[in-house]
Amino acid sequence: MAFNKNLKEILYSVAAIISALLLGALLIKLSGHSALKAYYYLFYGAFGSTYNIAQTFLKTIPLIFTGLAVAVGFQSGLFNIGAEGQLYLGAFAAALAAIIFSNLPGFILIPLALAAGALAGSLWAAVPGILRAKTGAHEVITTIMFNYIGILLTTFLLKNYFKEEGPVDQTKKIAEQARLPELVANTRLTWALFIAIFVIIIIYYLLNHTAYGYDLQLVGENINAAEYSGVDSDKVIINTMLLSGGIAGLAGSTMVLGVLHRFITNFSPGYGFTGIAVAVLGRNKPLGVLFAAFLFGILESGGMSMQLFAKIPADLMTIVQGLVILFVAAPSIFKILKNKSGIFRGDNS
Amino acid sequence: MTINAVEMKNISKSFGSVKANDSIDFSVKKGEIHCLLGENGAGKSTLVKILFGLYNKDQGQIKINNKPVKINNPAGAIKEKMGMIHQHFMLVDRFSIIENIIAGQEPTRTWGTSIDKKKAAVKVKEISQNFGFDLDPEALIENLSVGEQQRVEIMKALYREAEILILDEPTAVLTPQETEELFEIMESLKEDNKTIIFITHKLNETMEIADRITILRDGKKIGTVNKNDTTPQKLANMMVGREVLLDLEKSSKNPGKEIFSIKNLSYKNPVSGLELNEINISFKKGEIVGLAGVEGNGQLELEEIIAGLKAPDSGEILFNSQKITKVSTRERRNMGLAHIPSDRNKYGLVGNFSLAKNILLGSEWNPEFKNKFMIDFDYLNNYTDQILKEYDVRFSGKNSRASELSGGNQQKLIIGRELSRGAEFVLAAQPTRGVDIGAIEFIHRQLLKIREEDKAVFLISAELDELMSLSDRILVIYEGNIVARGKVEDFDQEELGLLMAGHSREER
């Protein structure tokens, strides 16, 4: 039965994706382009060559981290919208660690820089977590504010202390041995992919097979029952934010160590926010996030080639992404509406 | 020829794969009080909701006063002179009684520009006097007791000239005295030839007020009987579908040494302002101490303080002679506190979790359920199977979620989880609320078994029958004060009811 239920959810997600693509085709048609050509280049861009496939995976990696960060928060009933800020802090800390300790050998420096990024993300998320647990300040508000503060803080620190000479606001390049090894030459697709998958597996086990994960989900499902059964829900909330922020921090540090090789201001095209969509599409489950992030990776890299070769505006691809989310999120919206109308029924009588 | 005020024929209604009503025939004579009796989920509410136009039936016909009708919504039902009083009242707190009664049908002055309150007041007063409602029409709803609010709901229906009144479990929220008052009103309505459909699962109420009784079980009609031709035992058997033991055998037994005690405990609820005042209770091994009281008199606060969910303002709690006033909930549970919470959906269960994960609740860090760092699901599943079997929890599939169980089975799951932890002191708050007769019988036996095992039970309940048949000692709580205490033999039901309502012993 559980299997059937999962199967149903998967089938539903697939159906949602297909519906979104069909509706997207209609929109492309209406805007005067050939839908067939568009989707051909979409597919080509995502899978047409080794390089293209590598690009697709490359786009997938940060979304796995940010999607997972948001999903972990959701599992505990926390809406961490601050993944973007946590990502910046993580990226900055990773770059700094790699630059400061550039004498160390790679097998120490890489884990150190990754850890520094995770830690910075954690600490940045901890503040909203503590505020939520101790004062009840809603994390949606505080994490949004912390995005601005975090992004601008990294810019401030960079410009004042760590800026490399030149027109671009960026640090100097990190040492050769601090860079993650490439999987496919000249693609910047690195070991980061395995780190992402490894983190997915860890979180999967943590959530489903440990007492820690049980408490985390318990607080998300029914905080009163958690308290009743002896769980310190404040502690769980803070720990969950630490975990969520740490994962988001890894998104930043793997970008720095694998792709950018330095910290650049405003480097993220909103991975933290796309992570929310990835988490929703993946139903807040680790494996779901993996597939959802991959889908978004396909749409990203395919969208680029669509724009390049089929001359279709990339905005249309964004619309298709939006449609996918809308269709997947539709059942929960429907549920809410149904409950609402139920209330109305009661009122009438 | 007698007129059937209501005649429902061959009514069926399904929700998904569940047949809530299965070809039910139900007829009510004009001017009678007709009890619709059945356990939770038997289909009582569904049937009357169809009658009142809140649900659409899948099949069947409805006749009102021998005339076929189609009722698609409550407005249609009101047109047919029906009125329904729900369990949850639909009143505006800030409005007066009269404003609530006329809402939606305000009598207007000639030009329809303003409300003619005087005209309304005359009619409301007339209703109030005729049926003995005893209410001041200008009083604000927020100042009324639950029983009085219910009377306003009934007046509202009568103001709309209802001839057929449907009361959906009206006594669930009332004190024993308020129930008596409601029954008096029902009698006077009957004298006025009004027809009343009264939904309940309580046998004694049925026997007191009904003319005829229709019993439903699992969506099917079991039968309609005259009150005078039946007994509570027969009704119970029809409701449950098997022999039910209504009376429990309790062994006489001397309590052992004190295991748990509450000393000079005071607490003020910052929201409601309710104050627990210098509460002192001692619990001994092998003893059931009952706390009687109408809901909202401090029981919930006391329950939460004992469980460690709230800290008292002053006073002490001792468990095995150890001060636990500042000890966390988890530690209290580890020390041997079991807690059957009064609000099972809020505290006792996680609706979205599987049954096994609900059994694990509170034990997830217990090494017994772990295999190194991981939760040992094989062990947990076996353990769960054992508990579900032992405590007779009925469920549809292995992977059912707790929310898919019926109320009684949810309660049995909680009780199974809590009692199987080897606790020394069991805090049982409203353990049979909203639970079927069959399950009530089972739960009562479990609590008596715990007593036999020389453990202490603190039974917080609003059910007098339950308190009288289980407790060794009884305390009565009223507005945060323990107003009476003594051995169970020292009380009778009527006296307990009066004490719960705030009358002192001397007053009688």
Side-chain angles (χ1 to χ4, degrees):
Chain A
M1 226 176 110
F3 177 75
N4 271 340
K5 215 166 159 296
N6 282 337
L7 195 71
K8 236 184 184 172
E9 288 207 355
I10 291 167
L11 281 179
Y12 193 88
S13 293
V14 171
I17 292 160
I18 292 172
S19 318
L21 287 177
L22 288 176
L23 197 57
L26 190 71
L27 286 175
I28 292 167
K29 190 94 204 141
L30 282 177
S31 64
H33 301 89
S34 156
L36 208 64
K37 200 170 156 199
Y39 283 155
Y40 169 77
Y41 281 111
L42 174 71
F43 187 82
Y44 175 81
F47 301 109
S49 66
T50 316
Y51 180 82
N52 290 2
I53 293 171
Q55 286 308 305
T56 302
F57 280 120
L58 189 61
K59 300 260 186 292
T60 304
I61 295 167
L63 296 179
I64 292 178
F65 285 116
T66 56
L68 192 62
V70 177
V72 164
F74 267 134
Q75 290 271 358
S76 205
L78 295 167
F79 203 164
N80 178 14
I81 308 194
E84 186 78 357
Q86 292 143 22
L87 173 149
Y88 271 93
L89 263 293
F92 192 72
L96 229 53
I99 290 168
I100 293 171
F101 300 104
S102 58
N103 306 333
L104 293 173
F107 71 91
I108 297 175
L109 189 52
I110 289 176
L112 181 79
L114 286 172
L119 187 69
S122 273
L123 293 178
W124 202 245
V127 185
I130 291 166
L131 287 174
R132 166 69 194 268
K134 300 297 176 196
T135 72
H138 204 284
E139 74 281 359
V140 168
I141 310 290
T142 49
T143 52
I144 288 177
M145 295 197 294
F146 263 63
N147 278 337
Y148 294 115
I149 303 171
I151 295 166
L152 292 171
L153 177 71
T154 55
T155 306
F156 170 82
L157 290 174
L158 174 79
K159 283 198 174 182
N160 286 287
Y161 307 105
F162 302 102
K163 190 174 175 309
E164 185 193 47
E165 288 297 313
V168 187
D169 288 336
Q170 58 187 19
T171 61
K172 66 176 186 184
K173 281 215 162 199
I174 60 173
E176 203 67 55
Q177 84 273 17
R179 299 176 193 174
L180 287 164
E182 280 186 328
L183 290 176
V184 182
N186 302 322
T187 60
R188 305 222 160 158
L189 177 63
T190 64
W191 283 81
L193 181 64
F194 297 126
I195 298 172
I197 291 170
F198 180 67
V199 172
I200 288 271
I201 293 168
I202 297 270
I203 297 297
Y204 171 84
Y205 272 97
L206 184 85
L207 286 179
N208 295 306
H209 291 275
T210 67
Y212 177 86
Y214 178 89
D215 284 355
L216 190 153
Q217 289 176 314
L218 177 58
V219 168
E221 287 287 346
N222 184 345
I223 194 163
N224 291 309
E227 292 276 347
Y228 151 87
S229 72
V231 172
D232 182 346
S233 61
D234 287 352
K235 209 166 113 189
V236 171
I237 285 172
I238 294 169
N239 283 340
T240 304
M241 284 304 283
L242 285 172
L243 182 64
S244 175
I247 299 168
L250 278 177
S253 44
T254 51
M255 279 297 288
V256 166
L257 302 188
V259 183
L260 306 171
H261 297 156
R262 54 166 39 122
F263 180 85
I264 310 170
T265 54
N266 299 320
F267 72 88
S268 164
Y271 291 127
F273 301 115
T274 312
I276 299 169
V278 170
V280 170
L281 184 62
R283 310 247 156 161
N284 302 319
K285 304 226 166 65
L287 291 178
V289 163
L290 185 65
F291 288 109
F294 186 53
L295 177 74
F296 274 71
I298 293 170
L299 292 178
E300 283 284 330
S301 64
M304 271 213 256
S305 94
M306 219 170 83
Q307 188 180 10
L308 221 58
F309 301 111
K311 308 280 181 235
I312 288 167
D315 296 340
L316 268 171
M317 213 55 247
T318 315
I319 291 175
V320 173
Q321 283 180 8
L323 288 172
V324 173
I325 297 164
L326 195 65
F327 276 79
V328 172
S332 29
I333 294 170
F334 183 67
K335 246 185 226 158
I336 292 166
L337 286 177
K338 216 168 117 190
N339 287 342
K340 275 262 165 69
S341 64
I343 292 165
F344 289 141
R345 280 204 118 159
D347 279 347
N348 286 336
S349 48
Chain B
M1 189 186 95
T2 53
I3 297 176
N4 277 331
V6 174
E7 199 174 341
M8 300 177 81
K9 262 221 147 97
N10 202 20
I11 301 287
S12 289
K13 171 79 184 171
S14 297
F15 296 102
S17 60
V18 180
K19 275 212 154 179
N21 282 172
D22 189 356
S23 313
I24 292 182
D25 294 335
F26 175 57
S27 69
V28 184
K29 288 181 202 154
K30 185 153 179 60
E32 74 169 342
I33 297 178
H34 195 120
C35 248
L36 200 48
L37 184 70
E39 302 201 306
N40 296 313
K44 308 174 300 244
S45 282
T46 307
L47 188 65
V48 293
K49 280 181 176 163
I50 289 170
L51 179 61
F52 198 64
L54 286 163
Y55 289 154
N56 296 320
K57 56 189 185 300
D58 296 343
Q59 65 166 50
Q61 294 91 41
I62 300 176
K63 283 184 188 170
I64 301 291
N65 297 325
N66 294 355
K67 186 185 91 206
V69 290
K70 273 215 162 86
I71 297 166
N72 297 321
N73 49 41
I78 292 168
K79 213 179 264 167
E80 297 294 339
K81 306 213 162 180
M82 281 194 267
M84 185 159 175
I85 286 82
H86 297 269
Q87 272 188 56
H88 303 283
F89 306 138
M90 321 267 172
L91 298 170
V92 184
D93 273 357
R94 299 263 161 162
F95 279 12
S96 69
I97 291 181
I98 195 150
E99 284 166 333
N100 268 284
I101 289 177
I102 63 176
Q105 291 207 350
E106 301 89 347
T108 48
R109 296 208 172 109
T110 328
W111 299 100
T113 45
S114 63
I115 297 171
D116 189 350
K117 258 199 192 170
K118 274 200 189 127
K119 207 156 117 193
V122 172
K123 196 172 166 188
V124 170
K125 264 206 186 113
E126 199 183 289
I127 296 170
S128 179
Q129 275 164 8
N130 285 353
F131 300 108
F133 280 101
D134 190 23
L135 288 170
D136 169 16
E138 297 298 331
L140 295 184
I141 296 295
E142 59 186 1
N143 298 329
L144 300 184
S145 72
V146 174
E148 288 168 334
Q149 292 188 21
Q150 190 173 58
R151 276 181 259 162
V152 175
E153 287 279 8
I154 298 173
M155 283 172 77
K156 208 163 105 184
L158 293 173
Y159 182 84
R160 286 161 174 66
E161 311 200 312
E163 290 294 324
I164 302 163
L165 286 164
I166 305 164
L167 303 170
D168 189 0
E169 304 238 9
T171 58
V173 290
L174 300 182
T175 65
Q177 267 66 38
E178 285 175 325
T179 303
E180 279 310 313
E181 286 164 17
L182 173 67
F183 285 177
E184 275 165 34
I185 290 172
M186 285 167 67
E187 290 290 352
S188 69
L189 289 168
K190 186 175 130 185
E191 273 166 35
D192 199 52
N193 211 22
K194 306 254 188 266
T195 308
I196 298 176
I197 300 171
F198 176 76
I199 301 180
T200 186
H201 61 259
K202 291 182 184 164
L203 295 170
N204 48 1
E205 290 176 357
T206 309
M207 291 305 288
E208 189 178 342
I209 192 75
D211 295 313
R212 289 198 304 155
I213 302 149
T214 293
I215 299 101
L216 301 184
R217 186 174 76 228
D218 297 333
K220 291 195 184 70
K221 176 175 157 179
I222 302 302
T224 299
V225 293
N226 287 321
K227 194 247 314 264
N228 296 331
D229 303 340
T230 189
T231 64
Q233 185 66 53
K234 278 188 199 161
L235 289 176
N237 296 347
M238 284 171 92
M239 268 170 82
V240 180
R242 64 178 166 83
E243 281 287 321
V244 180
L245 291 173
L246 288 179
D247 290 314
L248 292 159
E249 292 210 8
K250 194 170 81 178
S251 68
S252 68
K253 183 168 193 305
N254 285 327
K257 72 175 184 60
E258 179 182 279
I259 179 147
F260 198 96
S261 69
I262 296 166
K263 295 215 161 92
N264 299 324
L265 186 132
S266 294
Y267 171 78
K268 182 169 181 180
N269 186 325
V271 183
S272 67
L274 185 120
E275 270 179 83
L276 289 177
N277 219 336
E278 297 278 318
I279 306 274
N280 284 289
I281 313 175
S282 153
F283 303 91
K284 299 192 179 69
K285 287 186 168 185
E287 186 187 46
I288 297 182
V289 177
L291 182 69
V294 179
E295 235 189 303
N297 277 288
Q299 297 97 318
L300 184 64
E301 286 80 1
L302 193 56
E303 177 193 346
E304 290 179 337
I305 288 169
I306 293 175
L309 297 167
K310 276 196 178 126
D313 297 335
S314 65
E316 263 172 19
I317 305 170
L318 296 163
F319 193 175
N320 267 329
S321 323
Q322 220 179 315
K323 273 189 207 171
I324 60 156
T325 320
K326 295 214 167 91
V327 164
S328 72
T329 301
R330 171 159 289 157
E331 266 176 84
R332 289 181 200 205
R333 293 173 68 89
N334 288 342
M335 288 170 73
L337 169 83
H339 179 191
I340 300 161
S342 55
D343 191 335
R344 64 170 164 266
N345 288 312
K346 185 173 170 194
Y347 289 115
L349 288 173
V350 185
N352 257 337
F353 275 9
S354 67
L355 302 186
K357 278 171 93 176
N358 271 288
I359 292 288
L360 186 63
L361 188 67
S363 306
E364 66 270 23
W365 294 95
N366 185 339
E368 186 189 342
F369 292 95
K370 277 184 161 180
N371 180 3
K372 284 179 190 156
F373 300 109
M374 304 285 203
I375 292 168
D376 188 344
F377 276 104
D378 287 340
Y379 180 80
L380 173 64
N381 288 334
N382 283 332
Y383 181 87
T384 303
D385 287 347
Q386 218 176 307
I387 295 216
L388 297 183
K389 207 172 145 202
E390 195 181 327
Y391 287 85
D392 191 34
V393 181
R394 285 170 222 174
F395 54 99
S396 51
K398 261 229 134 310
N399 293 302
S400 303
R401 294 171 185 208
S403 59
E404 292 162 14
L405 298 181
S406 71
N409 284 312
Q410 288 181 338
Q411 191 70 3
K412 284 192 276 187
L413 183 145
I414 293 172
I415 287 171
R417 178 184 71 214
E418 295 300 310
L419 298 189
S420 59
R421 298 171 62 245
E424 298 279 317
F425 177 71
V426 178
L427 171 60
Q430 319 288 359
T432 58
R433 174 187 287 163
V435 166
D436 306 334
I437 292 193
I440 289 175
E441 179 202 5
F442 182 85
I443 290 165
H444 284 170
R445 275 206 235 133
Q446 293 301 323
L447 291 175
L448 287 177
K449 201 173 121 202
I450 286 287
R451 174 180 175 268
E452 284 306 310
E453 290 166 6
D454 238 13
K455 290 159 182 171
V457 177
F458 186 25
L459 173 67
I460 301 176
S461 176
E463 298 288 337
L464 293 180
D465 291 339
E466 177 168 282
L467 287 162
M468 299 289 286
S469 62
L470 293 180
S471 310
D472 296 292
R473 284 189 292 134
I474 285 187
L475 301 105
V476 183
I477 193 167
Y478 178 73
E479 291 188 344
N481 293 293
I482 303 290
V483 293
R485 58 175 82 211
K487 288 197 167 139
V488 67
E489 305 88 68
D490 302 343
F491 294 95
D492 60 39
Q493 287 231 9
E494 191 197 354
E495 185 187 10
L496 266 185
L498 286 169
L499 286 164
M500 282 164 69
H503 301 274
S504 66
R505 282 189 135 163
E506 293 75 38
E507 258 177 60
R508 285 179 302 130

